Amino acid sequence: MAIKLQNMKNSEITEQIKLFNWARSVREFIPELKLLHHIPNEGKRTNGALLKAAGMVAGVPDLSLPVARRGFNGLYIEMKFGNNKPTKDQVEFMAMLKDQGYKTAVAYSAEEARSLIRHYLARADNFDLVNCEEAPKIFGCCEGIEADWTPCANCELYKKNKQPEW
């Protein structure tokens, strides 16, 4: 379900919508993106006391990708827009996440967040997921990239590794 952003003023939320539109469009070939989610922890609410009692915590980053990679337990991204900076609570919470083995980052656009995620989920050194996104797809199978240095030959999404569905 892609949300159209025409006539919406650019903001943190529009950048986040752009990011999730991208994630939904490529998750067939990057299935880890099915786990990417937003943690609704921002903004002023009329039921703030109730939410705090139910566990809402100041400083929690906006996005979580609970996939272990590159020696980390998962990835948390705090989205910002324009001249906004992480709050003291956000900086402290991300420091605690780092201490627990998570990668944390701040992104100021959908493209910056997408780049962080692509690098984090890369299937091999020097083989960013942009390669997987751009590889030709035929009948729901990835055709891979014809180069010896790519991890395509061992990827379960690569056509040669898939059993025919007929």
Side-chain angles (χ1 to χ4, degrees):
M1 166 183 141
I3 303 269
K4 297 199 188 296
L5 298 174
Q6 48 215 103
N7 301 324
M8 285 182 74
K9 183 179 169 193
N10 277 359
S11 65
E12 182 178 313
I13 194 71
T14 59
E15 291 303 302
Q16 203 163 296
I17 290 169
K18 288 176 193 175
L19 177 70
F20 276 89
N21 284 344
W22 161 77
R24 285 183 203 97
S25 74
V26 298
R27 65 182 171 194
E28 180 181 354
F29 295 98
I30 307 170
E32 298 92 338
L33 290 175
K34 292 175 185 174
L35 294 171
L36 179 66
H37 63 276
H38 168 67
I39 300 167
N41 205 36
E42 68 280 319
K44 304 231 184 282
R45 296 180 172 88
T46 57
N47 60 347
L50 180 64
L51 292 173
K52 283 184 181 179
M56 187 174 80
V57 176
V60 176
D62 295 310
L63 307 176
S64 174
L65 182 59
V67 175
R69 272 299 191 291
R70 301 183 172 278
F72 295 102
N73 296 322
L75 172 66
Y76 282 87
I77 299 175
E78 174 59 35
M79 294 295 293
K80 292 293 178 190
F81 187 78
N83 295 324
N84 290 341
K85 302 276 186 238
T87 66
K88 181 182 176 210
D89 286 337
Q90 290 167 336
V91 169
E92 289 174 1
F93 202 94
M94 287 191 290
M96 289 189 292
L97 286 168
K98 284 181 184 178
D99 288 345
Q100 295 303 314
Y102 291 91
K103 179 165 180 59
T104 65
V106 177
Y108 286 86
S109 68
E111 187 55 44
E112 188 176 350
R114 184 165 69 171
S115 179
L116 287 163
I117 292 167
R118 281 175 172 159
H119 178 72
Y120 181 78
L121 290 177
R123 294 187 175 132
D125 290 337
N126 301 317
F127 192 77
D128 211 288
L129 287 182
V130 70
N131 295 296
C132 297
E133 290 175 53
E134 294 177 357
K137 317 287 190 304
I138 299 175
F139 301 117
C141 293
C142 178
E143 293 291 309
I145 295 177
E146 294 297 325
D148 293 339
W149 56 268
T150 69
C152 295
N154 298 318
C155 177
E156 72 264 9
L157 301 171
Y158 184 43
K159 182 174 115 179
K160 290 180 182 173
N161 294 327
K162 284 188 140 184
Q163 296 297 319
E165 295 182 13
W166 55 79

